[in-house]
Amino acid sequence: MVTVNHDYLDLKGSYLFSEIAKKVAAYQVNYPEAALIRMGIGDVTQPLVPAVIQALHKAVEEQSSMDTFHGYAPDLGYAFLREKIREHDYQARGAHIELDEIFISDGAKGDVANIQEIVGRNNKVAVGDPVYPVYVDSNVMSGRTGTYNADTKTWSELTYLSATSENDFTPSLPTKPVDLIYLCYPNNPTGTTLTKEELKKWVDYANKEEAIIIYDSAYEAFITDSAIPHSIYEIEGSRTCAIEVRSFSKTAGFTGLRLGFTVVPKELIREGVSLRDLWARRHSTKFNGAPYIVSRAGEAVYSKEGKKQIKEQISYYLRNAKIIREQLTKAGYDVFGGLNAPYVWVKTPQNMTSWEFFDFLLEEKNIVVTPGSGFGPSGEGYVRFSAFGEYELVQEAMERMTK
């Protein structure tokens, strides 16, 4: 008889955003006339910029000719895209990255989950708290998290790096040994950031403890403050302790196209083994490469026109975040984030739980947000507003919130 992977049975409930979708769908059945404004899931709403569309059309035409047709992508991804990534995302910021350390993928979500396949099951894991649910759930699936405490909503073998208003959303270094550290900055869900000096403390800690930082910088394009690093590789010493994951989803609206990449430096050696080589082996075995058409679209992101157009789109979302932040602050809410990130983190009023406030906003204001408790124990008492909406709808939502 076939047995199942019992680690999957340890997962609690459904994936956070699936649970939200079910609650919203049930509400719409009962109140079909309700004009909902969705500010929960961080999906983009603006169309792909013209430079990307032009590149897609050109690549599609190339696929119609024997001379320019492309099938499977190279193992690491097309060199024309990796060269642009290295030049614009790293060399331009003074970070040294080699071409064969960049691995093109179909998005950051899969990479942050799959990267743990190249390290041992007994590694101790630390996650920021609040935390993007994939970091926790994928480790549950891999059997690293121990047992679940329903009262504290924590896993026995996970180290939670609490980030709340009490510590200015800057988590302290672990007080007990850990091996893998998941960091996401600009942060999802809190919308807060780390300065270069603050990130250097994490790099120094990881090198001292021989730990590895899995650095999710999916939202780096929203950074406007020069004191905030766009990449962990801007920090001295990071090449011996950090893996960085990036995404085109929020940077360029590729949530429907699917494109991302992961950087694994050659200096990242553990037990005498190159983690870069292990990831290359995993990548070539389990992934057939990002499509040529999508890769050409990614290349266009770095063109002169592409960069200009995408900057305008990022500014559109940041304007939304500014409206959310300013209007909710004016209405008396405690508001965080939203300055160098597309998310605004809001404390619930009157000691309401995250889900109670979610229900209130859904039923009374017809606004959909994300309950903070879905991001971990330190998320309780907060909700996340996403700025990835249409400007007019964001304005309407804030009018409803301030009435």
Side-chain angles (χ1 to χ4, degrees), residues 72-77 103-107 111 114 258-260 279-291:
Y72 288 126
D75 282 354
L76 274 63
F103 297 81
I104 306 299
S105 70
D106 59 357
D111 282 359
N114 295 329
R258 308 307 305 148
L259 189 66
W279 184 244
R281 185 67 171 86
R282 190 265 173 207
H283 202 65
S284 62
T285 301
K286 293 191 172 186
F287 184 62
N288 272 334

Side-chain angles (χ1 to χ4, degrees), residues 7 60 65 68 80 86 100 192 200 214 268 270 295 311 320 323-324 331 347 349 388 391:
D7 292 327
V60 168
S65 170
T68 54
F80 61 75
R86 179 176 64 169
D100 59 356
T192 56
K200 182 67 164 65
I214 300 173
L268 203 54
R270 293 298 183 270
S295 297
K311 185 177 180 180
N320 287 349
I323 292 172
I324 298 168
K347 192 165 183 59
F388 288 116
Y391 178 68

Side-chain angles (χ1 to χ4, degrees), residues 234-270:
E234 296 177 46
I235 309 301
E236 183 181 359
S238 56
R239 285 183 58 85
T240 54
C241 70
I243 295 171
E244 182 163 284
V245 181
R246 290 272 189 107
S247 170
F248 285 77
S249 288
K250 309 305 165 55
T251 299
F254 277 36
T255 54
L257 289 183
R258 308 307 305 148
L259 189 66
F261 62 91
T262 290
V263 177
V264 188
K266 295 174 183 175
E267 289 92 324
L268 203 54
I269 308 291
R270 293 298 183 270

Side-chain angles (χ1 to χ4, degrees), residues 144-205:
R144 289 194 182 88
T145 54
T147 57
Y148 184 72
N149 186 320
D151 293 329
T152 61
K153 294 182 172 55
T154 59
W155 294 90
S156 62
E157 296 301 316
L158 275 187
T159 295
Y160 292 85
L161 309 170
S162 181
T164 65
S165 58
E166 284 72 26
N167 60 8
D168 294 324
F169 297 96
T170 304
S172 300
L173 297 172
T175 56
K176 60 182 180 181
V178 296
D179 304 301
L180 297 179
I181 305 168
Y182 286 80
L183 295 179
C184 174
Y185 289 99
N187 186 257
N188 178 18
T190 67
T192 56
T193 55
L194 289 183
T195 64
K196 292 179 181 178
E197 292 73 23
E198 290 165 341
L199 186 54
K200 182 67 164 65
K201 295 176 183 177
W202 287 96
V203 169
D204 290 344
Y205 170 86

